[in-house]
Amino acid sequence: MTVQLRPRAALLAVALSAALGSLAPAPVLAKPATVAKVDIPFEQFTLPNGLRVVVHTDRKAPIVAVNIWYHVGSKDEPAGRTGFAHLFEHLMFQGSENHDGEYFEPFKQVGVTGQNGTTNTDRTNYFENVPTTALDMALWMESDRMGHLLGAIDQAALDEQRGVVQNEKRQGENQPYGQVWEKLTRAMYPEGHPYHHSVIGSMNDLNAASLDDVKTWFRTWYGPNNAVLVLAGDIDVATAKEKVARYFGDIPAGPSMAQPKVDVAKREKSTREVMTDKVPQARIYRAWNVAQVGTTDIDQLQLFAQVLGGAKSSRLDQRLLHQDKLVDNISAGAYSSQLGSNFVIMASVKQGVDPAKVEAIIDEEVKRLTKDGPTADELSRGKTAFRAGFIRGIERIGGFGGKADALAECTVYEGDPGCFRTSLATIDAATAAQVRDVGAKWLGAGDHTIVVEPGARVALAELPSETPKPFTVPAVDPSFTTLAQQVDRSTGVPQTKTFPDLKFPELHRATLKNGTQVILAERHDIPVVQFSYEFPGGFTADQGRKSGTANFTMGLLTEGAGKLGALPFADAADALGAKLDASASLDSTSVYLSALKENLAPSLALYADMLRQPRFDQTEIDRVKATWIAGIQQEKVNPSAVAMRVMPTLLYGAGHPYAIPFTGSGNEVDIQSMTREDLVDFHRDWLRPEQGTLIVVGDTTLKDLVPLLERQFGNWKAEGPAPQVKAPVDVARPTQARVYLIDQPGAVQANLFASQVVPSSKDPGSTRFDIANGVLGGDFTSRLNMNLREQKHWSYGAGSSASNTLGQRPWGARAPVQIDKTAEAMQEMRKEIAEFASGAKPATPAEVARIRNIQNLSLPGAYETASAVMGTISGIVRYQRPDDYVVQRKAEIEAMTPAQVQQAAATLDPNALTWVVVGDLKQTEAPVRALNLGQVQVIDAEGKVVAPAAPAAPAAAAPKAR
């Protein structure tokens, strides 16, 4: 349940995201194989009550994506009622008249995946993927909250969700640079414009909301005639017509609400402001108001943004990041909305650099591109990147940016579910002159610039309170009719009796001449092949090396290889529509490729160069090093990231291979001293083909694939003896709880973390522990979240998790809470952990059944994407699991008893927790010390003690089992 700042055309957004990779002179490449045709075919119909339904059939998995969009967002809120659309998104996740209880509960019982809801300026949406056999339940639930919600909304529900939303607002504003978007929105649009206020709204307006207000708001906007329902996946239009008519047909239409007129609010003068925040470096935000969604201009502006700052070697990247080295990162993007869109440039300025110098170069590059236009190569690569992003996006039927989302967005904003075809055709046909001209048309005077400089955080003032305008519900259009009642809601939610079988793809194996094991899972739904070359080591291979060596080395692999420097290498990837990446984790390293099937051979050639011949050019090392260090400094002001930096050493002790920041970034001193020889040595020692496993998932076969792999990798030989990974040794838990406080002056929230080590992922009881964690904090309906969010509404969300590792796993509970509830929230967290671990409040059969269903019944939908399959195969390799591990784990969970889960819960020791609290010390220290949870120390962002520990009273003992 989230706020989205702005909508964008769903699949174009995916394309833009996928395209963040490059642009500049590219090498000549072989002509691609036959280009695959891609599309999202659909059928549609409309019920007599006005509900418009779009259906897309995709039988690859036994799941159906249910995606419903209501055409109401923050733009529709009258004066004095800001935040109502988002508040109501939350209220609609409460119970309805015929379902008393959390909205999520029936979905959890059938293995839902990808369930959520979001609100932006223009619409509110709800979506979930359910097994095909649970479609009746999903439609019953969606129709019950559409047609039978008001009787279930009472003052308690309103107060609860109002508190949750206000904590969501605090959480956003508490982040570094977190106040910028609110200020930018106010500056870009004049008072009275529907976009002048933020989606999340005003605290004052939220506090003033009455029960009558929200009920009138619902009657006005949430009728079937103001909604679009998309059903995508294992369904056909005949089935959809019967089921949708049965569940939605009797819901009366609401009033016909007029949409605000398009008002781009193009600005005539450039304006600017400077603000300070607790941040390590200045950041520049420059924005223009540009053409609305559904126009040729906004589609062409997407290409302009790609060339200007949307790719790894875009104009701004080349100039400011590579050539002049004045920024640590920079981007440009066009973000489309119904009434008008935004074109935004963001730049993080290097420490010691005058932001004005960066601003001047941004001006130069914008003017140069609007004068001369893109080169033919830039334009071609941009188009390829968008097409590749579209292909990857349509692998998913539901969720953010999936096919159902694209169809719904097109239907709501343009009245045509297939509007994405027009946008893609516009981009494909765009000329350099058109891209030049559209930039010149929109990106002249009229921008607003915000420069955030390091300094004290100044609280963001509320918008002036306005006298609320009374809500009046317009009359319902008499032309709408409804179908006869076809479902008896008195019998409750339809029960799902049968479920689809789990089908994990067969694993095909081969061995290359170089000793690498190849594992292939065939997936022929989209013309894409994904590769992950995996090696042992990871952060653990930093033993005896500088902290961060593994991750830093992997990060340099994409900065040039073979004969291609960093920018030409990026251009080559863009020209092929390929995505390449490399990273390290605690126990392994991996090198990734996603290739279009039509360009598989040349993409593999580029991938092989990256793996075998990384250049490690000194200029790129120096550039990335500076940006990397700036990233570490950013981590130290981010409340979650700073906790992840200090917690590992607190848990494992200095010198342990896992005692490295879990962000993988290392520390400034070691990164600053990193040499080219350090990277070459790590690459030689740890990226060895005989120790590698190449996981492949996608549209190919071993017969076609192995010859291509042998051509690129068959003669790859490692140098010297292979180093051995030292197994992480077990560490003892502390003898009593410890509390560490990190100061975040001016914070409006405290971020709470309670952690300890638990047995390895290879431990025979690891699955039982995962189920126990699910009961405690691993799901929205778990104990921690229901307590701190739903019952107390002190937090936007609380939970717990354990990372998968070869050594002892780091387990942790976490909760960002309003700062005046810091101590009380810690008490509640400890109480939940203690009562569960001790058996005072043991796992119930209902809780175990819910987590079992979440884990097992979701499996048919969990492997909808190639990436999900690849992740599971990676675990099979790393933890030496059998090929049928998924099936074996499913059987183990099905047979698991509450007693076994409770036994796993006893793994936790509430008296040996390590607490980290990030917040304003002036508000947190005294109440936390008064809790007497354990020894309390104040530490800095490096984990160094800055205030001595005060004597602590003995920690309270855990409750005894009944």
Side-chain angles (χ1 to χ4, degrees):
M1 292 175 277
T2 58
V3 166
Q4 286 192 321
L5 294 175
R6 280 283 184 268
R8 20 176 161 174
L11 285 171
L12 292 185
V14 172
L16 180 62
S17 174
L20 294 179
S22 30
L23 292 153
V28 177
L29 298 163
K31 288 186 177 181
T34 303
V35 175
K37 185 179 185 300
V38 289
D39 191 22
I40 313 175
F42 62 86
E43 297 180 78
Q44 58 181 316
F45 60 91
T46 302
L47 296 187
N49 60 10
L51 178 63
R52 190 166 179 180
V53 184
V54 183
V55 182
H56 164 69
T57 302
D58 180 345
R59 306 285 190 185
K60 71 180 177 189
I63 57 174
V64 180
V66 180
N67 195 327
I68 189 162
W69 283 42
Y70 293 94
H71 202 171
V72 56
S74 61
K75 73 180 185 335
D76 304 299
E77 296 161 350
R81 310 289 186 176
T82 63
F84 266 50
H86 178 244
L87 175 62
F88 219 91
E89 176 219 313
H90 281 252
L91 284 167
M92 288 181 74
F93 276 110
Q94 298 289 93
S96 54
E97 292 171 3
N98 301 294
H99 172 65
D100 183 18
E102 286 290 330
Y103 187 82
F104 291 99
E105 190 64 31
F107 289 91
K108 299 296 183 182
Q109 295 303 324
V110 300
V112 69
T113 54
Q115 184 175 28
N116 211 332
T118 70
T119 309
N120 61 34
T121 51
D122 303 318
R123 61 95 184 103
T124 302
N125 71 348
Y126 300 93
F127 50 90
E128 58 266 343
N129 296 346
V130 295
T132 307
T133 52
L135 180 58
D136 284 275
M137 179 279 297
L139 295 177
W140 190 99
M141 291 291 291
E142 289 288 1
S143 62
D144 210 60
R145 67 173 164 188
M146 177 188 283
H148 308 274
L149 185 74
L150 286 184
I153 297 179
D154 56 17
Q155 191 64 45
L158 173 59
D159 291 343
E160 174 186 322
Q161 292 307 317
R162 174 164 39 207
V164 170
V165 169
Q166 290 177 332
N167 273 299
E168 182 179 357
K169 181 178 175 72
R170 294 185 187 102
Q171 185 168 316
E173 293 178 357
N174 200 49
Q175 301 302 309
Y177 311 97
Q179 298 180 342
V180 167
W181 296 109
E182 176 98 14
K183 292 178 74 72
L184 193 61
T185 296
R186 295 180 189 180
M188 297 301 293
Y189 297 98
E191 288 188 33
H193 191 284
Y195 289 168
H196 180 64
H197 64 272
S198 68
V199 175
I200 205 162
S202 151
M203 287 284 195
N204 292 335
D205 289 355
L206 290 170
N207 283 329
S210 71
L211 197 56
D212 286 342
D213 287 338
V214 297
K215 289 189 175 184
T216 303
W217 176 263
F218 176 78
R219 295 188 189 99
T220 305
W221 290 105
Y222 295 86
N225 51 310
N226 198 44
V228 168
L229 171 64
V230 177
L231 300 176
D234 188 19
I235 191 170
D236 53 59
V237 73
T239 303
K241 283 182 177 180
E242 184 275 322
K243 290 185 182 295
V244 173
R246 187 194 324 161
Y247 292 110
F248 290 86
D250 67 315
I251 300 174
S256 297
M257 298 300 294
Q259 289 293 315
K261 68 176 183 178
V262 170
D263 182 5
V264 173
K266 193 172 189 299
R267 306 167 81 250
E268 299 302 321
K269 295 181 179 179
S270 296
T271 54
R272 60 184 291 108
E273 60 184 306
V274 177
M275 61 182 287
T276 57
D277 198 358
K278 296 288 292 184
V279 294
Q281 63 191 127
R283 184 174 290 175
I284 299 166
Y285 297 78
R286 178 165 293 177
W288 290 260
N289 291 343
V290 297
Q292 74 276 14
V293 70
T295 60
T296 298
D297 280 9
I298 192 61
D299 290 339
Q300 292 174 347
L301 280 168
Q302 301 278 2
L303 270 179
F304 188 97
Q306 178 77 0
V307 175
L308 179 67
K312 190 170 182 179
S313 61
S314 66
R315 298 282 182 94
L316 291 175
D317 281 79
Q318 286 192 56
R319 178 78 185 276
L320 286 166
L321 194 63
H322 290 266
Q323 179 182 316
D324 296 345
K325 298 179 175 61
L326 300 177
V327 302
D328 287 310
N329 54 69
I330 190 160
S331 65
Y335 305 94
S336 61
S337 299
Q338 180 179 336
L339 309 183
S341 307
N342 300 126
F343 190 102
V344 182
I345 298 172
M346 290 185 287
S348 295
V349 182
K350 281 189 179 298
Q351 288 186 350
V353 172
D354 183 358
K357 190 173 183 179
V358 175
E359 288 187 66
I361 292 174
I362 290 173
D363 283 341
E364 288 178 26
E365 293 302 326
V366 171
K367 289 175 181 176
R368 186 163 70 93
L369 189 54
T370 56
K371 176 178 178 291
D372 301 330
T375 67
D377 283 342
E378 287 175 322
L379 189 64
S380 175
R381 288 194 300 275
K383 292 178 179 182
T384 299
F386 275 107
R387 182 174 178 276
F390 177 82
I391 291 172
R392 293 185 176 100
I394 64 173
E395 181 185 17
R396 298 170 58 241
I397 61 169
F400 289 113
K403 289 189 282 189
D405 222 26
L407 293 169
E409 183 168 335
C410 278
T411 309
V412 167
Y413 295 142
E414 301 186 45
D416 172 18
C419 78
F420 60 87
R421 296 167 180 160
T422 303
S423 293
L424 289 170
T426 296
I427 288 172
D428 186 58
T431 65
Q434 289 172 330
V435 173
R436 176 198 66 203
D437 293 347
V438 78
K441 176 180 178 180
W442 290 103
L443 304 183
D447 57 294
H448 182 72
T449 298
I450 294 179
V451 179
V452 184
E453 295 181 341
R457 168 169 285 191
V458 179
L460 185 64
E462 287 273 308
L463 283 171
S465 297
E466 298 186 58
T467 303
K469 294 182 180 178
F471 280 137
T472 56
V473 183
V476 177
D477 186 340
S479 65
F480 283 113
T481 60
T482 58
L483 301 176
Q485 172 79 33
Q486 295 197 38
V487 59
D488 180 7
R489 295 185 182 270
S490 66
T491 59
V493 183
Q495 298 300 302
T496 306
K497 302 292 179 64
T498 60
F499 294 91
D501 293 332
L502 165 65
K503 292 183 179 179
F504 191 76
E506 180 183 357
L507 303 187
H508 305 279
R509 294 177 179 269
T511 302
L512 300 184
K513 294 175 183 177
N514 63 20
T516 293
Q517 301 297 307
V518 177
I519 303 176
L520 168 66
E522 295 183 23
R523 298 278 299 231
H524 300 288
D525 47 314
I526 60 170
V528 171
V529 186
Q530 296 188 36
F531 300 80
S532 182
Y533 221 134
E534 306 206 347
F535 306 90
F539 301 166
T540 56
D542 282 352
Q543 296 173 85
R545 287 180 159 89
K546 297 167 184 174
S547 174
T549 299
N551 222 14
F552 191 80
T553 303
M554 301 308 286
L556 264 293
L557 292 189
T558 58
E559 300 295 340
K563 297 179 180 180
L564 300 177
L567 297 180
F569 182 86
D571 294 336
D574 271 357
L576 295 167
K579 293 177 65 178
L580 297 110
D581 198 10
S583 63
S585 62
L586 281 174
D587 295 309
S588 69
T589 56
S590 60
V591 185
Y592 175 79
L593 165 69
S594 173
L596 300 182
K597 185 177 181 179
E598 65 206 47
N599 292 327
L600 182 55
S603 297
L604 277 172
L606 201 64
Y607 184 50
D609 281 349
M610 174 181 168
L611 275 154
R612 301 179 60 176
Q613 304 179 66
R615 291 170 65 94
F616 297 135
D617 289 334
Q618 190 62 50
T619 55
E620 305 306 332
I621 294 172
D622 293 341
R623 176 183 59 80
V624 173
K625 184 183 293 186
T627 299
W628 197 281
I629 291 171
I632 293 174
Q633 293 166 346
Q634 289 286 352
E635 289 175 2
K636 291 180 179 180
V637 298
N638 181 292
S640 295
V642 71
M644 293 303 99
R645 290 188 61 80
V646 303
M647 186 67 82
T649 301
L650 300 177
L651 289 178
Y652 293 99
H656 192 279
Y658 289 173
I660 181 174
F662 284 159
T663 58
S665 54
N667 62 66
E668 291 103 320
V669 173
D670 282 350
I671 296 298
Q672 184 62 54
S673 67
M674 201 79 68
T675 66
R676 185 178 189 277
E677 289 69 29
D678 292 328
L679 311 187
V680 171
D681 288 349
F682 184 91
H683 175 266
R684 180 197 62 236
D685 290 347
W686 290 103
L687 270 67
R688 306 175 64 91
E690 80 278 9
Q691 291 189 335
T693 300
L694 182 53
I695 302 169
V696 186
V697 184
D699 189 13
T700 188
T701 64
L702 276 183
K703 179 182 177 182
D704 294 334
L705 179 65
V706 170
L708 293 174
L709 296 178
E710 291 288 10
R711 188 180 309 157
Q712 300 299 335
F713 298 106
N715 63 350
W716 183 17
K717 303 293 183 183
E719 299 179 26
Q724 297 300 311
V725 177
K726 297 178 183 178
V729 297
D730 284 357
V731 298
R733 290 173 175 171
T735 56
Q736 65 171 1
R738 305 169 297 171
V739 183
Y740 297 91
L741 305 178
I742 299 177
D743 193 15
Q744 187 188 13
V748 294
Q749 278 193 326
N751 283 260
L752 314 179
F753 302 85
S755 298
Q756 64 185 208
V757 295
V758 298
S760 160
S761 297
K762 297 184 72 172
D763 185 83
S766 64
T767 299
R768 292 193 293 275
F769 182 83
D770 289 340
I771 301 301
N773 178 73
V775 171
L776 178 62
D779 179 66
F780 183 91
T781 56
S782 64
R783 293 182 182 184
L784 286 170
N785 195 60
M786 297 306 291
N787 182 331
L788 294 177
R789 172 181 164 130
E790 297 298 290
Q791 295 166 19
K792 304 291 193 311
H793 43 83
W794 295 342
S795 174
Y796 179 54
S800 63
S801 62
S803 300
N804 283 313
T805 54
L806 289 170
Q808 288 169 305
R809 303 165 75 185
W811 172 88
R814 65 203 177 279
V817 300
Q818 58 194 69
I819 203 156
D820 61 329
K821 299 296 183 183
T822 300
E824 294 94 327
M826 291 176 71
Q827 280 184 312
E828 291 298 319
M829 290 174 70
R830 188 187 184 283
K831 182 194 75 171
E832 294 290 358
I833 296 167
E835 289 181 343
F836 188 37
S838 68
K841 191 177 176 183
T844 67
E847 286 177 316
V848 173
R850 184 179 72 246
I851 303 302
R852 177 191 299 124
N853 290 342
I854 290 170
Q855 292 281 330
N856 278 359
L857 298 181
S858 64
L859 289 174
Y863 296 113
E864 177 193 1
T865 66
S867 294
V869 173
M870 179 171 281
T872 294
I873 299 173
S874 178
I876 287 173
V877 172
R878 188 174 308 156
Y879 305 113
Q880 300 174 332
R881 294 164 173 165
D883 282 5
D884 65 347
Y885 169 76
V886 174
V887 176
Q888 291 189 23
R889 185 176 188 274
K890 180 174 183 288
E892 180 184 0
I893 293 173
E894 285 174 347
M896 202 171 294
T897 66
Q900 290 175 314
V901 174
Q902 188 55 48
Q903 183 182 24
T907 301
L908 298 173
D909 182 356
N911 297 318
L913 292 169
T914 297
W915 294 84
V916 172
V917 179
V918 186
D920 189 335
L921 203 61
K922 293 191 298 294
Q923 301 181 66
T924 61
E925 185 173 14
V928 170
R929 288 188 184 277
L931 289 175
N932 289 318
L933 288 179
Q935 186 184 68
V936 179
Q937 292 180 296
V938 180
I939 60 174
D940 62 15
E942 294 285 354
K944 297 176 182 177
V945 175
V946 295
K960 294 181 179 179
R962 297 174 192 165

